[in-house]
Amino acid sequence: MATMLEMMKSNVEKNVSEALKKAQDVQGKLNAVVTFVDPTEQLENYNKNGLMAGVPIVLKDNVCTKGIETTASSGILQGYVPIYNAHIVDRLQAEGAIVIAKSSMDELAMGGTNKTAYTGPVHNPYDLDRISGGSSGGSAALVAAGVVPFAIGSDTGDSVRKPASFCGICGVKPTYGRISRYGIIPYSSSLDHVGYFTRSVRDAAVALEVLAGRDDRDMTSSFEPVPHYLDQVKGNLKGKKLAILKNVVDVIENKEILDCFNKVVEEVKKQGAEVKEVELNEDLMKAMLPTYYLIANCEATANHSNLDGIRFGLQKEAKSCEDVMIASRTEGFGSLIKKRFVIGSYGLFEENQDKLFRKAQKVRRLIVEELKNALDGLDGILAPASGTVAPKIEDQNQDDLSDSYLVAENHMVLGNFSGYPSATIPMGEVGGLPIGLNITCHPFDEGNMFDILRGIELITGLEDKIKEVL
Ligand code: GLN
C-alpha cells in the first residue's frame, strides 16, 4: 500500500497549484501563512524519483530559506532574507518536495498558543474560535485543513506535539541529533529539535528517512545510520512492552479525555501488548516547568543577543550603535519575549548562575535519570498529550500552578530534556475537537516508535483525516 506522500508523485503540477490555491483560500480563516512561496522554479527541476517527489510542503518560518524572507514571526526579523538554506530545506528539495509557504509560529518559537505571532493568532480548523496550539501552529493548521500532507515544525518544549494534539494530526519530535538544525533560527540549543507534521504514521516514517542524518554543520548532529523506517512499520502490537505515565493520567480532570485514552489502551492490550503503569517522582514532575523555563530562557537570551538591529531584519535609526540596538530591540520584540529575556538574564547573572541556571541543569539531569529508569525494559511510555482540547483564543484563565497544568500540560518536555524521541497521534474527539496520544521511546528507536503508533492508528482509524474549513 502506497503512503500519501508516495501517492503524490503523479499529477504534480496540479497537486502543487491546488495546494497553493487552497493555502491562499483558507488564509482568511486560519491566518496560518506568513509568506507564500512561488513554486514555479522548483517545479521546473525537482527530483522525480525522490522519496517526496512532487509533494507540496510548508516550512515553519524559523527555517532559513535562501532568497525568501524568514521572520520567525517576530517584528525584529521583518525584512530578513537569508542567503542560505537550512540543511533540511536542501534535504527535502533533494528528495523532490516543493515548498509552497512559510508558516506562522509563536514569536521566535517562544509560546504554546500561536497567539504571539507578529501576524496575529492562527485559528484551529476544527473551531476557528480556538487556538491551533503553538509554537508550530501555522504548520499544524495547514496539515489538518488538508492544504499540505507534510509540514516542518520545531519542538523545544512540545511545540510540534501539542499543536498536533489540538489539530488532530501526527506530530513527531525525533531523537536529539537525528535531524540537523543548521539554518533553524535557534531558541534554546540544548532543547531545540526539528520536528514535523503528517496525517499518517506511515508518512511520518517516510519523512524521517528524508530529514535524518549527519550534517557536519550542526555539531550535535548524529552519525547514527538512517534506516528505511517504513520497513519497520507493521503495526503489530503483539509483544510490545508499554507503560502508562500515571502522574499525567492522575491529574487530568477531563473525564472524556481519560475515557478515550483508557479505551485505546484497552484495545492495545487486546492486540497483545503488555501495558503496565509507571510513576515518576512527583516533586521532579512538578519541577519540570520551572526547570524548563530557566534553561530555555537563559539559552534564548544568549542565542538572541545577535538580534541587535544591525545584522538582521529591522533596524531603527539612532545616534549611536548602542542606541540602534536599544531602539531596534525595544520595538522589534513582543512583550512576552522581553519578559523571557529578563528571566534569562537574571538566571545568567554571575551571582545567580549557580543557584539558577546550573541548578536547573542539575534538576534536568535528575528528571532524565527518572525517565531513563522508567523506560528500562519497555518499548515506550504512553500518556494523553494534553488534559484539554484546544482552548478558545480569548481564554486567558489557566491556573499556571495547578498540578494539572504543571504535570499534564507540560509532561512532553521530558522528550526535550532527555532528547528521546516522542510523538503525538490523534486518539479521538471530545465535543468535536481532536485529542492526542503521546509516546516517548528510547533514543534512535524511531522505527519501533512508528511501529507502535501504527498499531494504535489501526485501532483508532484516524489516518489521513482532514478538516475542511471552506
Ligand atoms: N510552550 C513552550 C515554550 O513556550 C514550548 C515552546 C517550543 O517547544 N518551541 O517555551
Side-chain angles (χ1 to χ4, degrees), residues 294-295 298 341-362:
L294 257 171
I295 295 175
C298 288
F341 288 163
V342 172
I343 297 170
S345 305
Y346 187 78
L348 290 174
F349 282 164
E350 219 175 306
E351 61 273 32
N352 293 343
Q353 255 187 42
D354 269 345
K355 60 177 192 281
L356 293 172
F357 185 54
R358 300 220 183 286
K359 184 148 182 200
Q361 289 174 317
K362 287 181 191 158

Side-chain angles (χ1 to χ4, degrees), residues 254-425:
N254 186 318
K255 212 180 138 317
E256 289 162 292
I257 292 182
L258 286 178
D259 282 351
C260 177
F261 178 74
N262 289 334
K263 270 195 202 130
V264 173
V265 170
E266 277 318 305
E267 243 351 276
V268 168
K269 285 186 194 160
K270 276 195 204 144
Q271 306 276 327
E274 278 174 43
V275 186
K276 60 171 197 167
E277 279 185 345
V278 287
E279 192 167 12
L280 307 191
N281 177 293
E282 203 189 319
D283 292 334
L284 287 175
M285 287 296 274
K286 286 187 192 163
M288 280 184 308
L289 188 62
T291 304
Y292 170 76
Y293 269 126
L294 257 171
I295 295 175
N297 289 333
C298 288
E299 292 185 8
T301 303
N303 274 332
H304 292 140
S305 58
N306 67 345
L307 300 178
D308 52 13
I310 291 171
R311 280 172 277 205
F312 315 94
L314 179 92
Q315 182 167 127
K316 298 301 287 176
E317 272 184 42
K319 285 190 297 293
S320 66
C321 207
E322 198 180 346
D323 285 349
V324 170
M325 294 190 207
I326 292 171
S328 304
R329 285 175 69 92
T330 303
E331 166 141 347
F333 292 121
S335 62
L336 196 99
I337 299 323
K338 287 177 195 156
K339 270 189 211 158
R340 291 194 183 210
F341 288 163
V342 172
I343 297 170
S345 305
Y346 187 78
L348 290 174
F349 282 164
E350 219 175 306
E351 61 273 32
N352 293 343
Q353 255 187 42
D354 269 345
K355 60 177 192 281
L356 293 172
F357 185 54
R358 300 220 183 286
K359 184 148 182 200
Q361 289 174 317
K362 287 181 191 158
V363 177
R364 173 180 180 176
R365 171 52 50 200
L366 295 176
I367 295 170
V368 173
E369 282 300 318
E370 274 285 299
L371 177 67
K372 185 165 171 268
N373 292 337
L375 251 179
D376 192 30
L378 294 173
D379 290 296
I381 296 180
L382 306 173
S386 167
T388 70
V389 294
K392 293 252 189 204
I393 291 179
E394 303 310 325
D395 233 1
Q396 297 290 4
N397 48 8
Q398 116 198 323
D399 177 2
D400 285 1
L401 294 177
S402 69
D403 286 0
S404 74
Y405 183 73
L406 283 178
V407 177
E409 294 319 308
N410 288 288
H411 69 90
M412 290 192 290
V413 81
L414 290 168
N416 305 76
F417 281 164
S418 60
Y420 295 179
S422 176
T424 295
I425 62 167

Side-chain angles (χ1 to χ4, degrees), residues 109-112 135 155-159 187 292-293 340:
M110 293 193 222
S135 63
D155 190 312
T156 302
D158 60 11
S159 272
Y187 164 9
Y292 170 76
Y293 269 126
R340 291 194 183 210

Side-chain angles (χ1 to χ4, degrees), residues 150-212:
F150 171 90
I152 286 287
S154 65
D155 190 312
T156 302
D158 60 11
S159 272
V160 162
R161 293 162 290 156
K162 189 62 91 59
S165 174
F166 288 167
C167 293
I169 53 176
C170 305
V172 179
K173 181 208 78 67
T175 311
Y176 190 79
R178 184 70 297 193
I179 303 178
S180 164
R181 302 173 302 174
Y182 175 76
I184 310 293
I185 295 170
Y187 164 9
S188 171
S189 305
S190 76
L191 299 163
D192 288 346
H193 296 66
V194 173
Y196 57 91
F197 302 96
T198 60
R199 287 189 296 259
S200 77
V201 173
R202 284 158 43 82
D203 276 356
V206 174
L208 189 57
E209 188 177 338
V210 172
L211 295 164

